[in-house]
Amino acid sequence: MMNDMGMRFAAHRGVVNVDAGIRENTLASFRAAVEAKADLVELDVRLTADGSVVVLHDPDMLRVWGDPRRIDSVTLRELRDGWGDADQRIPTLEEVLTAVHGSGSRLLIDMDDEAFAAPALDVVMRCGMGREVEWCGALEAMRIIRGADADAIIWMPWSEAELPFLEDVETLRPQVLNAPHLAVGPDLVERAHELGLEVCCWTVDDEVQARHLAGIGVDGITSNRLAAIRESAHSFDVDHEENESERDERAFAVARLIAQDAAELVRESADEYRTHVHGKATPADLVTDLDGLIERLVRQALRAQFPEIPIVGEEMGGDEPECGDCWFLDPLDGSINYANGLPWFSFSLALVRDGSEPIVGAVIDPIGWRVITARRGYGAWAEGQRVTIPERAIDASDPLQGTVVAVELDNQSAWRGLNGIFGRLSERYCTLRVPGSGTASVFGIALGRGVGTLIGHFGPVDHFAGVLIVHEAGGVIMDMSGRETLNPRNSGFLASRDRRCAGALAQVWHEALSELE
């Protein structure tokens, strides 16, 4: 099934060009994919109220077409009312089959509900295109396709941490294992090939990741960026061994993608994972189902992408090596806020070298759930834009006057010296805030939220990512002795927008501790 270059590339919902007015899952996007010589054109099917098979990803038409109605609430005739250009409307599956027939590009029909399987297969067979179509989507839907067509090319969904065995595939008899790309590692590819299966993965839009996947032997990639990803995958040199800088670049890309997936899970979770909440070390140190779910998914992705790098996580622990690289993960920093319905919590993932040097960091901003990342020496980033600490007017006589400083408690308790710090800052008209997420309070400095953050004790899983982001955005990290560092282990530390504010805060902290001696 592969082309003569060894891999197949699927255009995800066609080739979309927003500037040219070409939307996803339209005849225009599919023709663009054929013109771009996509091996496969991926599309999604749904049913209208009268049972017509149409091409649309979402259950409603709001995101793509600005129409809030569900597609299953309108008939095909109602859907056609007022639509002129056939290339720029929701097409029927039959229209797409006719447009792509004989083009050299195959259709990859995706579905998230088994109810769509039989009607879609019926359309394909009526059009005589069974040999130009492949199928992916919900497992039960794939079973219906296989039961009706013994020769169908089926992509079996796979997102499990465990490797597949023969009994997992012998009933469905798929030709392809279809997995999210972060779950695809060399062990999965090897096992699938042993079972006689190709491995295809979705949805790959990062060139670095595309080269890596080509290097471990995947057979196909689904992408929103067909041309760029195809070129990157084909640029892989089989004789080249990934060096440290290249691995760091890939770690930066993977950390960002993992954080984006975690942010999406947080956005979609609402109250679903607040059902089971319990204390860990103390009743004020809470863990929820969402903590565990995110950590399991992140560990699965990291083990697939970097099987050689140990992981230390907030909920599942782990052993930090004496030297070399290690991932530090807090899946939900600020769990007590989340458990109590306060929308101020975060996520922290950092790659640290030799126990002291953060190389990559990724966090989730509670405001908008956007992802903030940093790579040592390459800056801090948010949504493709470089992050630098915003300028602000500082009182000439006192850099702390009229400002806000964040502080985080030791669970529910004040740490040593905090009461004295509070008193001294109050006298200088500086206001303390206790937001409830150490991760967010630290990296918030990079976004201009206050002039400083005080943390009573450094925690690698909570703080390494935020520390790196502040540093790369131009801020300052100091330990309790006033030493600038990116590794304030076994100490309290502060993050600040600049050296003047950092020095003033360090002096306040020193005075508060001296008073206790």
Side-chain angles (χ1 to χ4, degrees):
M1 290 187 292
M2 289 185 288
N3 59 32
D4 57 6
M5 291 181 288
M7 291 180 68
R8 297 196 298 164
F9 296 87
H12 188 230
R13 305 174 194 168
V15 170
V16 177
N17 187 333
V18 176
D19 293 335
I22 300 178
R23 308 186 206 199
E24 67 178 51
N25 277 328
T26 58
L27 291 179
S29 72
F30 300 141
R31 289 196 173 99
V34 169
E35 185 176 342
K37 300 188 184 306
D39 300 298
L40 298 120
V41 181
E42 188 268 355
L43 58 83
D44 310 274
V45 293
R46 292 192 175 274
L47 298 179
T48 61
D50 56 349
S52 298
V53 184
V54 295
V55 178
L56 182 71
H57 176 269
D58 300 353
D60 60 53
M61 299 177 279
L62 181 61
R63 178 178 61 86
V64 178
W65 300 101
D67 186 338
R69 293 178 297 172
R70 289 180 59 91
I71 193 68
D72 58 10
S73 71
V74 297
T75 65
L76 183 60
R77 178 183 292 275
E78 291 170 335
L79 192 61
R80 289 288 184 259
D81 286 346
W83 294 70
D85 186 354
D87 274 8
Q88 291 293 353
R89 69 184 185 192
I90 297 174
T92 64
L93 177 58
E94 184 172 352
E95 289 173 332
V96 178
L97 290 165
T98 301
V100 176
H101 175 58
S103 66
S105 296
R106 301 171 66 85
L107 282 182
L108 176 60
I109 300 178
D110 193 359
M111 60 193 70
D112 63 8
D113 192 315
E114 62 189 273
F116 308 151
L121 181 61
D122 181 62
V123 173
V124 169
M125 292 307 186
R126 279 194 288 105
C127 291
M129 285 189 62
R131 304 288 73 84
E132 295 182 59
V133 164
E134 302 182 22
W135 303 88
C136 68
L139 183 58
E140 287 304 316
M142 296 303 98
R143 287 173 175 155
I144 291 172
I145 299 294
R146 172 58 74 223
D149 184 358
D151 297 322
I153 297 177
I154 289 179
W155 296 30
M156 178 178 175
W158 192 265
S159 59
E160 303 299 320
E162 296 78 16
L163 300 178
F165 291 93
L166 181 61
E167 53 266 31
D168 295 315
V169 301
E170 58 185 359
T171 301
L172 184 63
R173 293 181 290 111
Q175 293 88 341
V176 179
L177 203 67
N178 191 32
H181 70 94
L182 288 177
V184 177
D187 290 345
L188 179 62
V189 173
E190 182 179 0
R191 174 63 59 81
H193 288 170
E194 288 173 353
L195 295 173
L197 301 174
E198 293 184 7
V199 177
C200 292
C201 49
W202 51 271
T203 302
V204 183
D205 294 331
D206 182 89
E207 290 96 329
V208 174
Q209 183 69 348
R211 286 194 295 272
H212 167 70
L213 292 166
I216 64 173
V218 302
D219 304 288
I221 286 175
T222 299
S223 177
N224 293 304
R225 304 177 62 229
L226 176 71
I229 294 305
R230 181 169 54 196
E231 181 180 356
S232 294
H234 287 154
S235 71
F236 171 76
D237 182 355
V238 68
D239 296 320
H240 176 72
E241 185 173 344
E242 187 178 55
N243 59 41
E244 185 176 82
S245 177
E246 290 167 335
R247 190 175 70 164
D248 290 349
E249 182 183 13
R250 183 163 63 89
F252 177 64
V254 168
R256 173 177 52 83
L257 294 167
I258 286 175
Q260 288 173 346
D261 285 350
E264 187 64 25
L265 187 56
V266 168
R267 274 192 293 265
E268 294 175 350
S269 68
D271 294 331
E272 182 178 356
Y273 299 104
R274 291 193 180 98
T275 306
H276 300 101
V277 180
H278 60 272
K280 294 187 293 185
T282 73
D285 183 15
L286 300 183
V287 62
T288 70
D289 286 352
L290 188 59
D291 295 75
L293 175 61
I294 293 176
E295 180 153 337
R296 285 193 299 274
L297 293 175
V298 172
R299 283 177 176 270
Q300 177 180 333
L302 291 177
R303 282 195 296 266
Q305 300 304 311
F306 302 96
E308 73 283 5
I309 301 180
I311 305 166
V312 176
E314 174 71 20
E315 308 307 334
M316 301 177 189
D319 297 321
E320 181 181 356
E322 293 184 3
C323 61
D325 290 351
C326 183
W327 290 103
F328 289 94
L329 165 67
D330 190 341
L332 197 65
D333 185 69
S335 297
I336 194 165
N337 281 356
Y338 174 75
N340 284 275
L342 300 176
W344 193 262
F345 45 89
S346 189
F347 163 95
S348 178
L349 178 63
L351 178 65
V352 178
R353 184 153 297 148
D354 296 327
S356 61
E357 183 182 7
I359 302 299
V360 165
V363 299
I364 297 175
D365 185 0
I367 298 179
W369 309 119
R370 61 178 177 160
V371 171
I372 316 293
T373 57
R375 181 183 171 196
R376 183 70 184 274
Y378 290 83
W381 299 85
E383 299 176 333
Q385 300 296 315
R386 188 78 176 254
V387 173
T388 56
I389 297 176
E391 293 184 7
R392 72 181 302 276
I394 299 291
D395 186 278
S397 60
D398 186 350
L400 302 182
Q401 183 172 297
T403 66
V404 169
V405 171
V407 64
E408 294 298 338
L409 302 177
D410 182 8
N411 288 327
Q412 79 284 359
S413 302
W415 34 267
R416 188 171 184 268
L418 182 54
N419 290 333
I421 291 172
F422 174 73
R424 282 170 170 76
L425 291 180
S426 297
E427 292 170 357
R428 296 170 69 167
Y429 301 99
C430 175
T431 302
L432 278 185
R433 290 283 184 262
V434 186
S437 167
T439 297
S441 291
V442 172
F443 76 72
I445 298 303
L447 305 178
R449 296 173 188 161
V451 298
T453 293
L454 305 177
I455 302 292
H457 183 76
F458 176 80
V461 299
D462 305 299
H463 302 131
F464 259 133
V467 161
L468 180 61
I469 288 168
V470 171
H471 172 78
E472 291 296 323
V476 177
I477 306 294
M478 283 185 179
D479 63 17
M480 290 173 60
S481 69
R483 178 178 63 98
E484 291 191 30
T485 178
L486 294 184
N487 180 34
R489 287 191 187 235
N490 305 313
S491 173
F493 74 99
L494 65 87
S496 187
R497 58 172 291 106
D498 55 39
R499 287 189 174 88
R500 187 174 179 219
C501 291
L505 287 170
Q507 181 63 30
V508 168
W509 199 337
H510 174 73
E511 291 172 356
L513 290 176
S514 297
E515 188 178 64
L516 299 176
E517 295 176 356

